[in-house]
Amino acid sequence: TQKDQMRKKCASERLRKDKKRKLRARMCDSNIEKRDRVPCVSAYNECVKSLHKIMKKKLLVSIIYCIFAFKFKRLNMNFKKKRWHCFPGQPITELDKQVMYWENKGKEVPTRDLIKTPEQIEGIKRAGVINTGVLDEVAKHIKAGMNTLEIDKICYDYCTAHGATPACLNYEGYPKSVCTSINEVVCHGIPKEEDVLEEGDIINVDFTTILDGYYADASRMFIIGKTTPEKEQLVRVAKECLEIGAEAAKPYCFVGDIGYAIEQHANKYNYGVVRDLCGHGVGLKFHEKPDITHYGKKGTGMLLVPGMVFTIEPMINMGTWQVFLDSEDPFGWEIISGDELPSAQWEHTFVMTEHGVEILTY
Ligand code: MF3
Ligand code: CO
Ligand code: CO
């Protein structure tokens, strides 16, 4: 029985071993199968991988294509409306470099005719001297009880006596030689006998002189007698706005830099900066390009380069920035503040130099 038992044990042992062997064999089989499958799987993987590669490449290619298309379009666009040209055979100046650089960046740049020659600047300066004389003459005589037609006469007489012409007279239907804008009149107030200056009024006198074909344009505020602290502050802040705007006007800056600086200052007082009227290029004509807006974003608008001549003339309202045309003005010139609160303005003609602006209407 012992032997029997041994045999049984051995048999079961064999059976177990057999099973193990079979199992191993099966595992081996499956290994083979696995091994068989491996090339198949890797082919699939390879396929996916290369597809990915192609996709990646395509993506890269399309990105590169997009960049080139965009650049080319811009280049092409610039090519089409290219404004700036260097003089053939002459060295490229700093001005050429700057203008071409910014034009390629898609910025608005001046045309050559906006850049005045030294002789032209001298001519505008001479017109500026007379213009300043006109405003000084007004300062000497302006007082309560005077009407604005009298101011018009002072201006006309001084200007013509100095061999110059008042630019406003008959300009696009404007009937007088100067603009006299009292209190809520923002600008383009037409001199008239009925407009008598009263104590406490604030008035802007805006005059433009033509001398030998050159234009100079400036305006000042006058306070008649003693006025309220509110109006006094408005007049002072409007002047500061002009000064701050002029300070912001650096060579190779943008028109928007000036407007931004002005707006920042006016905002401190909650004043409205008029948007419907702006400063302008000046010199060979009354109103040239560019528009000098007194509001704006830095780096926007036209590039300002040495030799450009323009006015800065912020109109600052005590209340809303909005304005409207006075319906009672038969000439359609007078501009009134939207809420009929007082408005103030100062103006100078400037030339851009290598260092900043120089006033031509001192
Ligand atoms: N002198 C104003 C200006 O600063 C323009 C006045 S135009 C006029 O631009 F016709 F009203 F005189
Ligand atoms: Co003016
Ligand atoms: Co002007």
Side-chain angles (χ1 to χ4, degrees), residues 243-262:
E243 289 160 356
I244 287 165
E247 193 58 40
K250 295 278 178 254
Y252 309 111
C253 81
F254 292 88
V255 167
D257 301 352
I258 299 174
Y260 176 81
I262 290 171

Side-chain angles (χ1 to χ4, degrees), residues 39-306:
C40 204
V41 168
S42 81
Y44 170 77
N45 277 344
E46 284 304 312
C47 201
V48 169
K49 260 190 210 165
S50 52
L51 243 152
H52 269 233
K53 259 190 203 166
I54 290 166
M55 297 261 278
K56 258 192 210 164
K57 254 190 209 163
K58 265 204 174 166
L59 196 71
L60 203 74
V61 165
S62 35
I63 286 169
I64 291 168
Y65 173 79
C66 281
I67 291 168
F68 268 89
F70 182 69
K71 283 256 172 195
F72 180 74
K73 208 181 153 203
R74 236 169 57 173
L75 270 170
N76 206 24
M77 247 162 47
N78 283 342
F79 174 72
K80 271 184 205 153
K81 58 157 197 174
K82 198 136 195 132
R83 288 166 157 236
W84 195 257
H85 300 282
C86 299
F87 295 123
Q90 282 188 24
I92 291 175
T93 62
E94 175 67 13
L95 188 123
D96 289 321
K97 274 189 216 160
Q98 288 274 353
V99 175
M100 288 189 293
Y101 174 81
W102 288 113
E103 184 168 31
N104 275 329
K105 289 240 167 203
K107 299 278 189 179
E108 194 186 340
V109 296
T111 45
R112 272 220 194 259
D113 59 305
L114 296 184
I115 298 163
K116 269 70 176 176
T117 64
E119 297 98 275
Q120 289 171 335
I121 292 164
E122 281 310 308
I124 300 163
K125 208 182 232 174
R126 281 197 299 275
V129 170
I130 294 172
N131 206 71
T132 303
V134 168
L135 294 176
D136 285 347
E137 197 63 19
V138 171
K140 265 191 226 164
H141 297 102
I142 198 162
K143 61 175 196 299
M146 185 184 210
N147 71 53
T148 51
L149 205 58
E150 292 173 68
I151 296 174
D152 188 70
K153 190 175 172 349
I154 291 170
C155 295
Y156 179 86
D157 289 349
Y158 186 97
C159 181
T160 51
H162 287 80
T165 313
C168 292
L169 190 57
N170 300 323
Y171 173 77
E172 292 187 9
Y174 190 82
K176 298 291 171 196
S177 299
V178 63
C179 298
T180 48
S181 310
I182 305 170
N183 298 329
E184 75 282 1
V185 181
V186 173
C187 62
H188 304 161
I190 299 171
K192 41 181 112 49
E193 229 181 321
E194 312 88 85
D195 275 350
V196 178
L197 295 177
E198 284 172 27
E199 174 92 7
D201 278 346
I202 59 169
I203 178 177
N204 173 273
V205 178
D206 189 342
F207 194 81
T208 305
T209 299
I210 314 172
L211 182 72
D212 304 327
Y214 296 116
Y215 291 71
D217 182 7
S219 80
R220 293 182 203 166
M221 292 301 292
F222 297 98
I223 297 174
I224 306 305
K226 196 163 165 51
T227 191
T228 63
E230 290 81 10
K231 280 180 169 179
E232 213 168 272
Q233 178 181 275
L234 179 73
V235 169
R236 174 176 59 82
V237 173
K239 192 178 190 185
E240 287 167 3
C241 281
L242 171 58
E243 289 160 356
I244 287 165
E247 193 58 40
K250 295 278 178 254
Y252 309 111
C253 81
F254 292 88
V255 167
D257 301 352
I258 299 174
Y260 176 81
I262 290 171
E263 214 178 16
Q264 290 301 303
H265 191 59
N267 283 349
K268 291 181 206 157
Y269 298 86
N270 246 321
Y271 290 156
V273 178
V274 173
R275 301 171 83 94
D276 296 349
L277 299 119
C278 49
H280 48 92
V282 68
L284 307 183
K285 286 189 288 174
F286 199 165
H287 295 109
E288 301 175 6
K289 275 185 176 182
D291 283 348
I292 309 290
T293 51
H294 303 110
Y295 59 91
K297 255 173 79 178
K298 283 183 191 176
T300 63
M302 192 184 281
L303 179 74
L304 295 174
V305 306

